[in-house]
Amino acid sequence: MSISKQEVVSRYLPEVLQPGTRAEAFAPSNIALCKYWGKRDVELNLPINSSLSISLGDLGSLTSITESEIGVDQVYLNDEALSADSRFAKKVLAFLELFRRELRQPVIVRTTNNIPTAAGLASSASGFAALTLAINDFYGLELSDNCLSAFARMGSGSASRSIYQGFVEWNKGSSVDGMDSCAQQLDYKWPGFRIGLLKVAIGEKKVDSRAGMQRTVESAALYGAWPQQAENDLVTIKRAIVDRDLQLLGQTAEHNALSMHATMIASWPPLLYWQPESVAAMHRVWELRESGVSIYLTMDAGPNLKLIYQQADESRIRDAFPELLDVDIVAPFD
Ligand code: 2P0
């Protein structure tokens, strides 16, 4: 039996809210090295497996909440006022509603994403993390970091990880209310660690992650092998981070991503997020690796690649992927 989001949040709110007049918060986007794929509770976004990510420094979402003088709530995305029935505005206001109690003072929520649109990155992780942090500040909730991460997770699972910078582990947890399903920052830095965002194809995906993972859990027999693999991969990736072993980290992350995609492909109807250009780029990564460059790939629920490598190989990788010059190379620890 699932508990509702509202029930969970209400337990942690002060009796009387004391809203300020303005709050603003930033949260980074993140790329999972060990992926989250599959939910044990759809209402609360509780995952079947734990996951581990790297946050993208200053690429992410900046969200502000201010008191409004007009009689209704308003939502802006990238400086554009949205209509109240747009999908984004509805999601934002439904989330905000969880934290408001009986307060009816209208607010203006403004979100700006500085994630390069060319990178093909989802913004729901950084968006819900920034919104949660801004809500905490605006209503003076003084929530703990664990609580902030767990609440961000209720907006979007991967948002639990975007509360933090650096390497972040999201423990799947086991409690019914999900309050132990929150992320933690790993206390390891890795100067020279790089993520290259390689956009190979454009276009809206037809099936979003939320629907895609549900379809996989319900229809792919191969999914049965996924939770255990993910748990094993997470342990290996943590060890690789501690040892700064790029080969071990890269091959485990790449294998993890492709195994996740295998479960998607084994769903019905099939889920294939790759485009021909994605496959061509994968082959280029593998050729480059065969020529001695330590480069690995990971992919999410879309056609684009994220490259994992170290600064020492940067020029050879830029030469092999001139497209990288157009998008961002993220150096989380430098
Ligand atoms: C991840 N993805 O670990 C995985 C890998 C996509 C592929 O987290 O339904 O937008 O909001 O919890 O967080 C994307 O899924 O899904 C995601 P919901 P979310 O990064």
Side-chain angles (χ1 to χ4, degrees):
M1 252 286 282
S2 179
I3 305 177
S4 73
K5 289 198 262 279
Q6 185 65 74
E7 218 179 316
V8 177
V9 171
S10 297
R11 290 179 193 166
Y12 291 84
L13 296 180
E15 279 306 315
V16 180
L17 297 179
Q18 295 188 314
T21 51
R22 186 170 197 281
E24 182 177 79
F26 171 82
S29 191
N30 75 76
I31 303 289
L33 301 171
C34 178
K35 307 294 186 187
Y36 148 52
W37 199 249
K39 299 180 194 194
R40 66 180 164 88
D41 183 309
V42 173
E43 161 76 7
L44 301 175
N45 291 333
L46 297 178
I48 289 174
N49 64 281
S50 300
S51 58
L52 190 154
S53 61
I54 176 79
S55 283
L56 300 188
D58 55 12
L59 293 183
S61 303
L62 183 66
T63 297
S64 69
I65 303 176
T66 43
E67 268 184 336
S68 171
E69 297 310 322
I70 339 171
V72 289
D73 294 325
Q74 281 181 297
V75 178
Y76 287 73
L77 178 59
N78 296 330
D79 294 326
E80 193 191 320
L82 302 182
S83 101
D85 55 4
S86 78
R87 224 173 130 232
F88 184 85
K90 276 188 181 155
K91 272 165 69 172
V92 166
L93 295 176
F95 191 73
L96 187 82
E97 203 58 38
L98 298 170
F99 297 89
R100 270 176 140 169
R101 287 214 188 273
E102 67 294 342
L103 282 182
R104 285 297 128 220
Q105 167 70 41
V107 293
I108 303 173
V109 182
R110 289 177 184 272
T111 295
T112 317
N113 295 322
N114 71 353
I115 307 158
T117 43
L121 285 176
S123 52
S124 69
S126 54
F128 274 109
L131 180 59
T132 307
L133 294 169
I135 287 170
N136 182 51
D137 194 5
F138 187 78
Y139 291 114
L141 305 181
E142 299 184 355
L143 299 171
S144 68
D145 287 353
N146 281 352
C147 207
L148 289 167
S149 173
F151 287 172
R153 185 247 306 138
M154 296 196 292
S156 188
S158 49
S160 64
R161 303 185 307 236
S162 277
I163 293 291
Y164 301 103
Q165 289 285 2
F167 292 113
V168 178
E169 178 180 355
W170 171 17
N171 191 305
K172 65 180 191 296
S174 59
S175 69
V176 177
D177 68 1
M179 292 311 288
D180 59 351
S181 183
C182 53
Q184 257 153 9
Q185 188 175 37
L186 299 179
D187 197 17
Y188 293 99
K189 298 206 180 335
W190 189 333
F193 186 85
R194 294 285 183 272
I195 295 284
L197 306 173
L198 185 63
K199 187 200 170 196
V200 297
I202 48 169
E204 277 280 294
K205 52 190 175 193
K206 292 196 184 76
V207 182
D208 66 16
S209 297
R210 190 160 293 194
M213 65 177 86
Q214 206 50 29
R215 185 188 296 181
T216 309
V217 172
E218 285 164 8
S219 69
L222 281 190
Y223 185 79
W226 168 255
Q228 188 59 55
Q229 178 180 346
E231 297 305 324
N232 296 346
D233 289 346
L234 193 147
V235 172
T236 307
I237 289 171
K238 266 166 83 170
R239 196 169 75 233
I241 290 169
V242 174
D243 295 343
R244 294 191 186 169
D245 182 339
L246 191 86
Q247 187 184 347
L248 183 63
L249 181 142
Q251 69 190 27
T252 312
E254 183 172 311
H255 189 209
N256 179 273
L258 295 179
S259 300
M260 174 185 72
H261 280 273
T263 70
M264 298 170 175
I265 297 166
S267 303
W268 195 262
L271 276 171
L272 182 65
Y273 287 106
W274 305 344
Q275 294 295 327
E277 298 87 343
S278 319
V279 178
M282 288 156 88
H283 283 289
R284 260 167 78 201
V285 169
W286 295 329
E287 280 159 20
L288 204 55
R289 201 153 76 213
E290 275 188 8
S291 76
V293 180
S294 203
I295 177 173
Y296 300 87
L297 65 90
T298 184
M299 293 177 75
D300 295 298
N304 299 308
L305 275 69
K306 287 93 185 189
L307 306 177
I308 301 164
Y309 60 95
Q310 294 186 98
Q311 200 255 331
D313 291 313
E314 181 121 341
S315 62
R316 287 179 74 184
I317 289 164
R318 276 179 180 268
D319 289 346
F321 293 97
E323 308 92 317
L324 261 189
L325 294 172
D326 295 335
V327 287
D328 278 63
I329 292 170
V330 182
F333 302 105
D334 292 28

